Amino acid sequence: MCIVKQPHPLPNPPLEGEGTLLNNAVETKTLSRVRIVLVHTTHPGNIGAAARAMWTMGLSQLVLVSPSRFPAPEAEAMASGADEVLERARVVATLPEALTGCVWTAGFSARPREFAGRVLAARQAVEEAARQLATEALPPKDIALVFGTEMSGLSNAELAQCTVAATIPANPHYSSLNLAAAVQVAAYELRVALGAGAVWQAPRFAGATHEEIERLYAHTEKTLVACGFLNPERPRRLLPRLRRLFARAGLEQEEVNILRGILAEMDTLLEAAAQERKSVKGE
Amino acid sequence: MCIVKQPHPLPNPPLEGEGTLLNNAVETKTLSRVRIVLVHTTHPGNIGAAARAMWTMGLSQLVLVSPSRFPAPEAEAMASGADEVLERARVVATLPEALTGCVWTAGFSARPREFAGRVLAARQAVEEAARQLATEALPPKDIALVFGTEMSGLSNAELAQCTVAATIPANPHYSSLNLAAAVQVAAYELRVALGAGAVWQAPRFAGATHEEIERLYAHTEKTLVACGFLNPERPRRLLPRLRRLFARAGLEQEEVNILRGILAEMDTLLEAAAQERKSVKGE
């Protein structure tokens, strides 16, 4: 009942980065060994939203166990840019079919079950998943994260087929995450567990040298004394305070230039005021 | 422009737990000091979905900066059980109004910015948020997690108003999380960072005692020898293998009883077969 059969993973378009976009160390072939299995999904919109959630984290292998309606326009609308994940989704009739070939599976459940085996928080579950993915089995085996139907989640019999039960910490009074939101959290945790938690960083500009910074403080002291804000007889902790502030920030060369420009502006004003006083006296 | 002003946090209904639902140590008053700020949200459905995402993690304080349309039926539909969060949402005209009184704020951005200050991965950002919330300031101050408009996120000017820029690790080729999905990940991370990552556990039944387990292995050995599966002359590593398997699982009393019941069944079959052979010989 496979709709489309194409080799995973999805090809990645070339990166057009603005700023510094840290690429990450996770190989696409590792992510392609992760199945997201949605069992008896009622609303096709949730399938599309789950596909989008998956693809934001680099997951591309979606398996649907007898969804109410699929393909469906609502699914495509919610998938946004992740329509290829939808197009490659496999539809199967039963959970055993969906899990065939998997060496490790986690069934997600918000609802406590009396008869579950190992129950792990989402973070611990995906860390175990990441260790499985790192195991050098040949040929490499898939793992699966399994999510039940919207209203009631996985049945006890479905959950019993999974290696572990996984659960997302939540408000005990309202633990009902939207299906795609649960997929988002699980996929996000997996990406981080796989060491792909790198994020963009703003570029750092040239740092100021020690002597540039010391000249700044010397200038600051001179100007603040000149204008009377700093009393050399009772300096209190004014300069140490300023040093502490700028040390925390880590000064860049350009920033030192700006601050010294402001001090120079004050010097000019002080000079002008002194001239003014002189000429008033001279009159 | 406040629609409804009511004291936070939302009252929690009494817990009717099935199974063991671990209650968590986060005080509701801590969670009530976290604002989720949505700036210029275009689709009211996303506001509702964000409210649901918040409330699943116990957050209740939603602030909307000039949303396109609110209140709106789509918001209510998507909020599911979190409609109280929507009802208590504050609508303000500008970001500064939304952030007034906050001592720490994180602006979320998937898009790299050349001119950002500190940029932290979501996990590190919310760990900093959790430390802020733990600071004993009197009166306690709010913190805020800020999310921009759907199409383009926060503007540079908006992001510059935040203490840190936060970013969710994502597929560098498709980092466009749905707004509510981003709120879900951030709120989830915050809940875990606040030490509320406890999850439900299935009950453990009475463990088997040492002597019960040893009797099981003795019985196993006797029966497997009797049926010929275990050759005492060449035992290989059969019993150590079984010991290893059951040690990993950790045997419960009831499980030992089941296994010994199966062994007893085998004993009966062996006995019957022996009787059969005897009677055949006797004939």
Side-chain angles (χ1 to χ4, degrees):
Chain A
M1 227 161 98
C2 185
I3 294 194
V4 182
K5 237 182 181 159
Q6 278 177 320
H8 288 283
L10 296 183
N12 278 329
L15 251 186
E16 290 166 30
E18 63 171 314
T20 314
L21 193 52
L22 286 183
N23 210 335
N24 55 71
V26 190
E27 294 178 50
T28 317
K29 66 181 178 191
T30 299
L31 294 170
S32 72
R33 281 162 50 212
V34 179
R35 297 183 199 170
I36 298 291
V37 178
L38 305 183
V39 182
H40 302 309
T41 312
T42 310
H43 301 292
N46 286 333
I47 297 174
R52 177 174 176 178
M54 287 169 61
W55 191 224
T56 62
M57 296 297 141
L59 302 180
S60 56
Q61 199 186 159
L62 176 59
V63 185
L64 306 169
V65 178
S66 57
S68 293
R69 199 152 44 78
F70 187 82
E74 302 97 302
E76 284 162 40
M78 293 300 286
S80 199
D83 34 346
E84 274 198 71
V85 174
L86 273 195
E87 284 162 26
R88 289 160 188 248
R90 280 196 298 139
V91 177
V92 297
T94 66
L95 182 57
E97 285 176 72
L99 300 184
T100 296
C102 284
V103 73
W104 184 95
T105 61
F108 279 74
S109 172
R111 186 156 51 86
R113 316 290 178 115
E114 213 195 347
F115 221 71
R118 286 199 301 141
V119 183
L120 301 177
R123 185 162 300 171
Q124 282 68 52
V126 300
E127 282 167 359
E128 193 166 305
R131 284 194 295 275
Q132 280 288 346
L133 287 167
T135 303
E136 287 297 337
L138 280 173
K141 296 287 203 304
D142 280 8
I143 63 136
L145 309 179
V146 186
F147 299 84
T149 189
E150 288 93 333
M151 283 304 288
S152 51
L154 293 168
S155 71
N156 287 336
E158 287 160 351
L159 195 61
Q161 292 176 47
C162 298
T163 314
V164 302
T167 185
I168 296 172
N171 181 351
H173 307 282
Y174 181 69
S175 59
S176 164
L177 271 75
N178 164 275
L179 175 59
V183 171
Q184 184 76 68
V185 168
Y188 159 77
E189 277 284 11
L190 184 60
R191 187 174 184 85
V192 174
L194 286 169
V199 295
W200 63 270
Q201 290 295 331
R204 287 284 295 173
F205 301 102
T209 62
H210 177 76
E211 60 276 19
E212 285 166 338
I213 294 174
E214 288 305 318
R215 279 199 295 265
L216 168 66
Y217 291 132
H219 192 166
T220 304
E221 182 171 9
K222 187 177 130 285
T223 303
L224 295 187
V225 168
C227 70
F229 188 74
L230 174 61
N231 178 353
E233 306 300 312
R234 299 184 54 195
R236 292 209 201 84
R237 299 180 59 71
L238 181 61
L239 286 170
R241 277 260 169 186
L242 289 173
R243 277 185 182 270
R244 181 166 164 270
L245 165 62
F246 290 124
R248 271 208 319 277
L251 281 165
E252 291 169 354
Q253 212 156 38
E254 184 60 27
E255 292 162 350
V256 169
N257 292 343
I258 291 170
L259 294 170
R260 292 203 60 181
I262 294 170
L263 290 169
E265 207 61 47
M266 287 177 74
D267 293 342
T268 308
L269 292 170
L270 285 165
E271 185 66 27
Q275 288 291 342
E276 185 70 18
R277 278 198 297 277
K278 222 183 268 178
S279 69
V280 168
K281 273 189 195 164
E283 268 180 299
Chain B
M1 226 162 103
C2 187
I3 294 194
V4 184
K5 239 183 181 159
Q6 278 177 318
H8 289 281
L10 296 184
N12 279 328
L15 252 185
E16 293 165 30
E18 63 171 312
T20 313
L21 193 53
L22 286 183
N23 210 335
N24 56 71
V26 189
E27 293 178 50
T28 317
K29 65 180 179 192
T30 299
L31 294 170
S32 73
R33 281 162 49 210
V34 179
R35 297 183 198 171
I36 298 291
V37 178
L38 305 183
V39 183
H40 301 309
T41 311
T42 310
H43 301 293
N46 286 334
I47 297 174
R52 176 174 177 178
M54 288 169 60
W55 191 224
T56 61
M57 296 297 140
L59 302 180
S60 56
Q61 197 186 161
L62 175 60
V63 185
L64 305 170
V65 178
S66 58
S68 294
R69 198 152 46 77
F70 186 83
E74 302 97 302
E76 284 161 39
M78 293 298 287
S80 198
D83 35 344
E84 272 199 72
V85 174
L86 274 195
E87 283 163 27
R88 289 162 188 247
R90 280 196 300 140
V91 177
V92 298
T94 66
L95 182 57
E97 284 176 73
L99 300 184
T100 296
C102 284
V103 74
W104 185 95
T105 61
F108 279 74
S109 172
R111 187 156 50 85
R113 315 290 177 114
E114 213 195 347
F115 221 70
R118 287 198 301 140
V119 182
L120 301 177
R123 183 161 302 172
Q124 282 68 51
V126 300
E127 282 167 359
E128 194 166 306
R131 283 194 295 275
Q132 281 288 346
L133 287 167
T135 303
E136 288 295 338
L138 280 173
K141 297 286 201 306
D142 281 8
I143 64 137
L145 308 179
V146 186
F147 299 83
T149 187
E150 288 94 333
M151 283 304 288
S152 51
L154 293 169
S155 72
N156 288 337
E158 286 159 350
L159 195 60
Q161 292 176 48
C162 298
T163 314
V164 302
T167 185
I168 296 172
N171 181 351
H173 307 282
Y174 183 68
S175 58
S176 163
L177 271 74
N178 164 274
L179 175 59
V183 171
Q184 183 76 69
V185 168
Y188 159 78
E189 277 284 11
L190 184 61
R191 188 174 184 85
V192 174
L194 286 169
V199 294
W200 62 270
Q201 291 295 330
R204 288 284 295 173
F205 302 102
T209 62
H210 178 77
E211 59 275 21
E212 285 166 338
I213 294 174
E214 288 305 317
R215 280 200 294 266
L216 168 67
Y217 290 133
H219 192 165
T220 304
E221 182 171 9
K222 186 177 130 287
T223 304
L224 294 186
V225 167
C227 71
F229 187 75
L230 174 61
N231 178 352
E233 305 300 311
R234 299 185 53 196
R236 290 207 202 86
R237 299 179 59 69
L238 181 60
L239 287 170
R241 277 261 170 188
L242 290 174
R243 276 184 182 271
R244 182 166 164 269
L245 165 62
F246 290 125
R248 273 209 316 278
L251 281 165
E252 291 168 354
Q253 213 156 37
E254 185 60 25
E255 292 161 350
V256 168
N257 291 343
I258 291 169
L259 293 170
R260 291 201 64 179
I262 294 171
L263 290 168
E265 207 60 48
M266 288 177 73
D267 294 341
T268 309
L269 291 169
L270 286 165
E271 184 67 28
Q275 290 291 346
E276 184 71 16
R277 275 198 300 277
K278 223 183 268 177
S279 68
V280 168
K281 270 189 196 162
E283 268 180 298

